[in-house]
Amino acid sequence: MKKLLFLITILFFNLNFGQNNFSDIYGNWIKYKVEMKDGSKLFDRFLEDSTYIEYTINKNKLCINSNPTHKTNESCLDYTMSNNLIKTSQYSGFLIEKITNDSLIISEKIDGLTNDKLKRMYFIKQQVVISKFKEQNKNKKNIIASKLFTPKTNSTIELELNKAFKNNYSNFELIGSLKIYPNEKRIKTKITFSTQKDSSRIKTIKKVIDNTFEKWNLTNFDEYESIELPFILKSEITNRYWGIKVIYFTNDLNELEVVYGGKLEDMRKSSELFQKGIDAYQKKKYLKAIEYFSESYKIDPKNIDALYNKAAIYFESGDKENACIVWNEISELGQVNGKVLFENNCK
């Protein structure tokens, strides 16, 4: 019943590195692929919100930045090198599985977690990404930025917008783009759609963004006449939250719900039901526990552990048929451990 009693928590992971050549490790790395270490399909709660990860590795320090347009929320960790391990705490780190001059493969190492809970990440040197983008866009003077190649700010646009609105928020969403003109030292903001026809608010948003030119670092971009950044924006005021959120490199308003808003509430409810399932199991109220775990997974389909626990209770209580049904469901979700449990117990 290890699966049942182990409540998964989101850990700030640490790092393990291969000890090939220190000079190969140092530098800026961009993640381009991630998978679970045991080969399972990735079930990452924040997969949609973490498609961009940048690691900056210097001597004894590793900094992690998950926002492509700024580093103001960058987190840095001290580490020690030991063979193929960069150790950032007593219990965790990253193992380097492969390293070359321009590529890096690392996997998480966290004491107490099995390979189906740990990630393997693939990185490429940032300069390689920049060179590739420039080659693909050579002779172009007007470009559209992407997460992998974009100017960065020294302050978030959200911060400037929230200052400008001074808590005078309303509920609306909009689609737009900002275009940076390096040689002219100006920004032009265009709004293409808004759920609220409040010209004064739209005017304020455009004015704030247009006045942020000095906040952008245009290193690697001075050869272009313009750099366009599409974005979506949400202004919200509720009993529990108020503020403005901006997401770049998209014009799909549905992405706001992925990284902002209702999804977090679903996660909270799912977590509460998950804990109730554990409590019910410990009191030997198996049917009630199964009910809680079923509802927990229904609300948050990325909470795979709720399914594992549900199957474990069925099996422990003698209901092998239903345990096999759930293990098969887990297996069909691309989870290696679920497949092993099904094959070992149901065939």
Side-chain angles (χ1 to χ4, degrees):
M1 292 302 294
K2 287 183 180 178
K3 283 284 181 184
L4 180 64
L5 299 178
F6 184 48
L7 176 60
I8 298 300
T9 57
I10 297 173
L11 300 175
F12 183 72
F13 50 80
N14 299 289
L15 329 172
N16 265 312
F17 292 70
Q19 195 170 3
N20 289 1
N21 187 331
F22 287 161
S23 62
D24 290 339
I25 294 170
Y26 299 154
N28 294 329
W29 299 91
I30 304 297
K31 184 191 76 177
Y32 68 89
K33 178 183 175 182
V34 60
E35 63 189 10
M36 302 310 294
K37 194 173 178 180
D38 73 338
S40 294
K41 179 181 177 181
L42 181 68
F43 266 75
D44 186 346
R45 295 183 182 284
F46 298 102
L47 178 62
E48 297 88 348
D49 194 26
S50 61
T51 51
Y52 178 89
I53 294 289
E54 175 187 351
Y55 281 14
T56 301
I57 305 174
N58 298 315
K59 186 176 181 180
N60 300 324
K61 190 175 288 293
L62 181 143
C63 297
I64 302 170
N65 175 45
S66 59
N67 191 311
T69 58
H70 72 93
K71 288 190 176 185
T72 55
N73 292 328
E74 185 176 59
S75 300
C76 294
L77 301 168
D78 294 327
Y79 70 83
T80 57
M81 183 77 71
S82 176
N83 296 321
N84 277 9
L85 174 67
I86 285 186
K87 196 170 185 178
T88 56
S89 80
Q90 182 179 356
Y91 305 105
S92 56
F94 279 127
L95 287 171
I96 288 191
E97 299 184 359
K98 183 178 179 180
I99 184 170
T100 68
N101 289 335
D102 57 16
S103 67
L104 176 66
I105 303 175
I106 61 176
S107 60
E108 297 174 341
K109 182 180 183 301
I110 303 174
D111 289 357
L113 292 189
T114 53
N115 286 344
D116 61 324
K117 304 300 178 189
L118 299 170
K119 297 175 188 174
R120 176 180 291 114
M121 291 169 285
Y122 297 74
F123 292 84
I124 190 169
K125 274 281 177 68
Q126 185 179 56
Q127 191 54 50
V128 174
V129 175
I130 293 174
S131 297
K132 184 177 180 179
F133 183 94
K134 289 194 171 186
E135 177 63 24
Q136 292 174 337
N137 292 273
K138 62 181 179 181
N139 301 324
K140 290 185 179 180
K141 291 299 182 180
N142 302 285
I143 63 170
I144 299 176
S146 71
K147 290 181 180 180
L148 298 180
F149 187 61
T150 180
K152 297 182 183 295
T153 66
N154 57 22
S155 177
T156 66
I157 298 298
E158 290 101 322
L159 180 61
E160 303 303 318
L161 289 168
N162 281 295
K163 285 180 180 178
F165 276 86
K166 298 178 180 179
N167 295 324
N168 183 24
Y169 302 107
S170 61
N171 295 308
F172 67 92
E173 299 172 354
L174 59 80
I175 301 171
S177 65
L178 66 88
K179 192 172 284 190
I180 304 173
Y181 298 87
N183 295 332
E184 300 176 26
K185 300 185 184 303
R186 70 182 180 92
I187 291 177
K188 180 66 175 178
T189 305
K190 182 180 180 180
I191 305 301
T192 56
F193 171 81
S194 176
T195 57
Q196 185 181 93
K197 305 303 180 183
D198 187 331
S199 59
S200 63
R201 291 183 183 275
I202 293 176
K203 184 177 179 180
T204 297
I205 290 170
K206 293 173 67 174
K207 181 179 179 180
V208 168
I209 298 176
D210 287 350
N211 288 331
T212 62
F213 179 84
E214 298 298 328
K215 297 182 180 297
W216 291 90
N217 181 348
L218 297 178
T219 303
N220 296 313
F221 291 90
D222 51 5
E223 65 190 86
Y224 301 110
E225 292 180 0
S226 69
I227 307 101
E228 183 178 354
L229 279 77
F231 68 86
I232 54 178
L233 179 150
K234 182 172 185 175
S235 173
E236 182 179 16
I237 180 167
T238 67
N239 292 331
R240 59 185 176 86
Y241 177 83
W242 55 91
I244 291 175
K245 178 71 175 180
V246 178
I247 302 175
Y248 295 98
F249 317 113
T250 182
N251 58 9
D252 184 359
L253 291 174
N254 290 323
E255 291 195 26
L256 288 164
E257 294 304 318
V258 175
V259 300
Y260 177 76
K263 294 292 184 180
L264 294 177
E265 181 65 20
D266 288 347
M267 286 171 53
R268 184 189 64 78
K269 290 180 180 178
S270 176
S271 180
E272 289 177 354
L273 289 164
F274 190 95
Q275 185 58 51
K276 286 181 178 180
I278 290 177
D279 294 342
Y281 167 77
Q282 292 174 335
K283 295 174 182 177
K284 301 187 184 303
K285 297 180 179 179
Y286 297 141
L287 291 179
K288 196 66 178 176
I290 289 171
E291 180 183 330
Y292 282 133
F293 286 127
S294 297
E295 191 64 22
S296 175
Y297 176 73
K298 181 179 179 181
I299 292 174
D300 180 8
K302 291 187 177 181
N303 190 353
I304 296 296
D305 289 281
L307 281 186
Y308 274 114
N309 290 357
K310 180 180 175 180
I313 295 175
Y314 275 133
F315 191 75
E316 183 176 306
S317 61
D319 190 347
K320 182 178 176 180
E321 181 180 355
N322 276 314
C324 289
I325 290 173
V326 180
W327 280 329
N328 185 56
E329 181 182 356
I330 297 171
S331 176
E332 290 179 346
L333 289 171
Q335 302 304 294
V336 170
N337 198 27
K339 183 178 181 180
V340 170
L341 287 167
F342 180 77
E343 291 180 347
N344 289 345
N345 294 287
C346 306
K347 289 187 175 181

